[in-house]
């Protein structure tokens, strides 16, 4: 392949399997930092692209391993599941004690934990590293969240520091915990990402459909919000997207984009893992489910024909815009709280100590959810283990109360207008429910005993009872 593979072994030579968009950009980033990356990809086009970009590429996994001196460091940047496991199976017979594999893909954290344990038995190190920040993050500074054993980490850290996003000039990358902790941190990041993206999209749609604002006016608003206290990368790119014209038709770009959104799995894992660990993440669930509904193009089109429209007066934009800004900020706060509760509880259920404040610093340096707002959450992390939880942290509790009337107004107005705002509605339901002493679940509890004999917890005495007043027998 490339002729630049010399026989002398650099102390910073690493292998990389997977030269797709993320892998290739990470390799270029590492190369800029003085790390020599030897790359391989099963797809000939990806190999050729890497060579065109000046990277060292070899034609097989064997050649890749031969190019590295043991103990070797081999990174994987592959789709999760079969692709990652397939390469691992090909590597395994050729690995020797002391070699280290670093999985930079979006693997499920439980798969990563199993691989850490499986390879430990072979004395091969395995680290699962969540990579956030998209393609440009991979190229110029990624949010890198590692999980696994500290012995492997000591060897890998100096390499990953070269590719990490920086905060105040210092690379932000850390071993966040054992086993699958790094990939769990990535899932939590994406949970926050799903929630923020959905909230922005719903507020944008409100501005467009109910306030009747065009792309230029909405771009100006998002630009302003992207500079306020609640600034964020996603607000910034929203304004940029709204300013772009479609190169094919010269129309505003957003107008030619279909409303269909796919997903690649981390949002689904977030919802599944959170629910299994007993944590409600309704904004993430709503965001995911709206994506699922968005795929049903033809059915929606047919049913829309005689669907009764909501009727509302167009509100005064001067009054409505600050309300929407507040509602959006509150939904972003809600999404972050849910992502942190998810990370905290799922880690706890696996027995992993996850360094959440450190994780948030990494997100703040280079995550798609990067925002100065995250600094507040870093300080609030200890509240997660206290009885009032994160929502009781004084700054958050005060901000939530200040912003709540705006979210209530926005959701109520959208409901009257017939505009679905699932993630905003989910945030509101979740906040209302988390702040009630009596939920509409009392009847559900009684019904479960009535037809299923499950018993109820009584308000006036200890223990579980049936509705006929008898105690529930143990077992
Ligand atoms: C990722 O972070 O892997 C994706 O870019 C975001 O997830 P999605 O493809 O499910 O939107």
């Amino acid at each position: 392949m490339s002729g630049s593979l010399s026989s002398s072994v650099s102390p910073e030579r690493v292998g990389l399997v997977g030269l797709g968009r993320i892998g290739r950009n990470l390799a270029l980033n590492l190369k800029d930092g003085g790390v020599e990356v030897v790359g391989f990809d099963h797809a000939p086009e990806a190999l050729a692209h890497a060579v065109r970009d000046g990277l060292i590429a070899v034609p097989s996994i064997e050649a890749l391993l031969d190019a590295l001196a043991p103990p070797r460091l081999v990174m994987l940047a592959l789709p999760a599941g079969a692709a990652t496991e397939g390469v691992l199976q090909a590597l395994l017979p050729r690995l020797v004690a002391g070699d280290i594999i670093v999985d930079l893909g979006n693997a499920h954290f439980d798969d990563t934990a199993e691989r850490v344990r499986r390879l430990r038995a072979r004395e091969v190190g395995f680290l699962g590293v969540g990579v956030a920040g998209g393609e440009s993050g991979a190229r110029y500074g990624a949010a890198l969240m590692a999980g696994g054993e500290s012995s492997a980490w000591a060897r890998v850290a100096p390499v990953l520091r070269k590719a990490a996003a920086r905060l105040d000039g210092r690379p932000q990358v850390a071993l966040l915990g054992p086993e699958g902790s790094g990939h769990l941190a990535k899932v939590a990041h994406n949970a926050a990402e799903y929630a923020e993206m959905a909230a922005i999209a719903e507020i944008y749609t409100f501005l467009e459909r109910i306030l009747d604002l065009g792309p230029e006016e909405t771009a100006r608003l998002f630009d302003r919000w992207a500079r306020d206290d609640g600034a964020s990368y996603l607000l910034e790119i929203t304004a940029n997207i709204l300013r772009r014209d479609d190169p094919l038709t010269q129309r505003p770009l957003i107008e030619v984009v279909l409303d269909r959104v796919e997903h690649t799995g981390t949002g689904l894992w977030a919802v599944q893992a959170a629910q299994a660990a007993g944590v409600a993440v309704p904004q993430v669930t709503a965001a995911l489910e709206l994506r699922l509904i968005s795929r049903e193009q033809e059915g929606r089109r047919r049913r829309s024909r005689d669907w009764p429209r909501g009727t509302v007066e167009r509100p005064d934009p001067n009054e409505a815009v600050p309300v929407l800004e507040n509602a959006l900020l509150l939904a972003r706060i809600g999404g972050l709280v849910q992502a942190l509760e998810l990370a905290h509880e799922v880690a706890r259920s696996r027995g992993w100590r996850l360094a959440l404040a450190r994780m948030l610093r990494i997100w703040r340096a280079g995550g798609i959810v990067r925002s100065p707002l995250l600094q507040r959450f870093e300080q609030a992390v200890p509240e997660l283990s206290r009885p009032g939880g994160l929502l009781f942290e004084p700054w958050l509790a005060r901000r939530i109360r200040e912003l709540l009337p705006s979210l209530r107004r926005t959701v109520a107005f959208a409901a009257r207008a017939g505009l679905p705002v699932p993630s905003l509605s989910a945030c509101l339901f979740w906040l209302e429910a988390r702040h009630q002493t009596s939920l509409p679940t009392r009847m559900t509890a009684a019904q479960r005993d009535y037809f299923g004999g499950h018993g109820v917890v009584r308000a006036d005495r200890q223990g579980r009872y049936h509705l006929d007043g008898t105690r529930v027998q143990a077992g």
Side-chain angles (χ1 to χ4, degrees):
M1 276 280 143
S2 159
S4 49
L5 183 56
S6 74
S7 55
S8 71
V9 176
S10 144
E12 297 239 53
R13 180 184 280 183
V14 303
L16 174 65
V17 183
L19 296 167
R21 285 189 314 250
I22 297 294
R24 189 177 64 249
N25 280 302
L26 271 172
L28 290 168
N29 188 356
L30 287 168
K31 188 178 171 212
D32 288 349
V35 179
E36 200 176 21
V37 183
V38 180
F40 166 70
D41 197 294
H42 283 290
E45 319 80 62
L47 268 185
H49 195 154
V51 173
R52 274 204 306 281
D53 282 354
L55 293 167
I56 304 170
V58 291
S60 67
I61 285 194
E62 293 76 10
L64 181 126
L65 289 175
D66 287 347
L68 306 171
R72 294 164 294 200
L73 186 54
V74 180
M75 303 191 292
L76 314 179
L78 296 160
T84 297
E85 189 54 38
V87 167
L88 208 52
Q89 291 298 333
L91 284 168
L92 266 177
R94 299 176 175 88
L95 295 179
V96 297
D99 285 346
I100 296 174
I101 305 291
V102 179
D103 182 5
L104 302 164
N106 269 345
H108 191 290
F109 44 87
D110 286 330
D111 290 343
T112 301
E114 185 274 325
R115 286 172 184 143
V116 168
R117 293 192 288 265
R118 190 179 355 142
L119 270 71
R120 188 190 296 145
R122 299 269 320 267
E123 291 179 57
V124 171
F126 190 90
L127 288 170
V129 179
V131 180
E135 275 179 60
S136 86
R139 180 66 186 89
Y140 300 108
L144 300 172
M145 300 158 262
E149 276 164 5
S150 37
S151 50
W153 175 242
R155 164 110 192 271
V156 173
V159 174
L160 290 189
R161 261 183 219 122
K162 304 270 169 64
R166 290 167 175 269
L167 210 56
D168 307 323
R170 300 181 51 179
Q172 296 299 320
V173 53
L175 184 71
L176 296 177
E179 303 198 331
S181 299
H183 280 141
L184 171 59
K186 170 68 197 270
V187 163
H189 171 277
N190 281 21
E193 177 184 296
Y194 270 53
E196 182 173 357
M197 288 169 78
I200 290 176
E202 289 167 23
I203 293 290
Y204 159 68
T205 308
F206 198 117
L207 292 167
E208 184 207 23
R209 290 221 211 132
I210 295 181
L211 297 188
D212 211 14
L213 303 182
E216 185 47 46
E217 290 163 297
T218 43
R220 267 204 300 277
L221 284 179
F222 280 107
D223 248 349
R224 205 178 75 214
W225 297 346
R227 284 192 301 268
D228 276 0
D229 293 352
S232 82
Y233 167 75
L234 282 168
L235 287 173
E236 221 174 281
I237 68 165
T238 303
N240 293 345
I241 291 167
L242 287 166
R243 287 235 160 74
R244 278 210 199 157
D245 283 333
D246 169 35
L248 302 179
T249 60
Q250 279 68 55
R251 286 168 55 196
L253 181 65
I254 192 67
E255 289 176 7
V256 300
V257 176
L258 201 63
D259 62 359
R260 183 189 170 106
V261 185
E262 304 296 339
H263 73 95
T264 45
T266 48
L268 177 64
W269 295 342
V271 171
Q272 288 171 335
Q275 290 178 350
V279 186
V281 288
Q283 288 178 245
V284 190
T285 312
L288 175 68
E289 290 181 346
L290 189 62
R291 289 189 187 198
L292 303 183
I293 292 172
S294 82
R295 302 198 306 202
E296 191 211 13
Q297 223 76 48
E298 180 54 18
R300 285 191 290 123
R301 195 182 62 77
R302 280 170 186 258
R303 291 188 296 271
S304 75
R305 286 186 209 130
D306 56 359
W307 184 245
R309 305 275 148 228
T311 43
V312 285
E313 297 270 305
R314 177 179 183 260
D316 174 1
N318 292 327
E319 248 180 66
V321 164
V323 173
L324 295 172
E325 180 181 10
N326 286 344
L328 175 53
L329 181 56
L330 183 50
R332 288 177 48 219
I333 288 174
L336 286 166
V337 171
Q338 289 170 27
L340 286 172
E341 289 183 344
L342 174 163
H344 181 69
E345 282 305 321
V346 175
R348 208 160 63 130
S349 70
R350 272 49 174 188
W352 301 336
R353 270 180 78 91
L354 183 58
L356 287 171
R358 201 77 180 79
M359 176 188 85
L360 285 166
R361 263 181 90 77
I362 294 172
W363 294 5
R364 185 151 64 90
I368 294 293
V369 295
R370 62 187 174 265
S371 157
L373 196 60
L374 294 173
Q375 206 167 353
R376 281 287 177 183
F377 282 82
E378 284 166 44
Q379 293 156 15
V381 159
E383 296 296 332
L384 274 164
S385 316
R386 298 189 184 134
L390 207 47
L391 290 170
F392 206 52
E393 191 274 335
W395 182 84
L396 276 170
R398 183 171 56 76
R399 272 321 258 147
I400 289 168
R401 277 164 178 73
E402 286 165 0
L403 300 167
L404 181 64
S406 294
L407 184 61
R408 284 180 174 155
R409 281 178 69 184
T410 303
V411 172
F413 199 95
R416 284 203 306 280
L419 177 72
V421 286
S423 81
L424 299 176
S425 310
C427 179
L428 182 60
F429 130 67
W430 171 79
L431 283 171
E432 304 287 11
R434 296 288 299 273
H435 293 83
Q436 306 277 324
T437 49
S438 180
L439 290 173
T441 43
R442 196 181 282 177
M443 181 56 75
T444 313
Q447 288 168 337
R448 285 186 77 242
D449 186 64
Y450 191 98
F451 67 72
H454 297 286
V456 299
V457 181
R458 289 184 62 112
D460 59 349
R461 60 194 72 193
Q462 295 283 315
R464 296 187 71 82
Y465 283 79
H466 293 298
L467 296 181
D468 64 7
T470 58
R471 297 288 299 249
V472 173
Q473 298 306 314

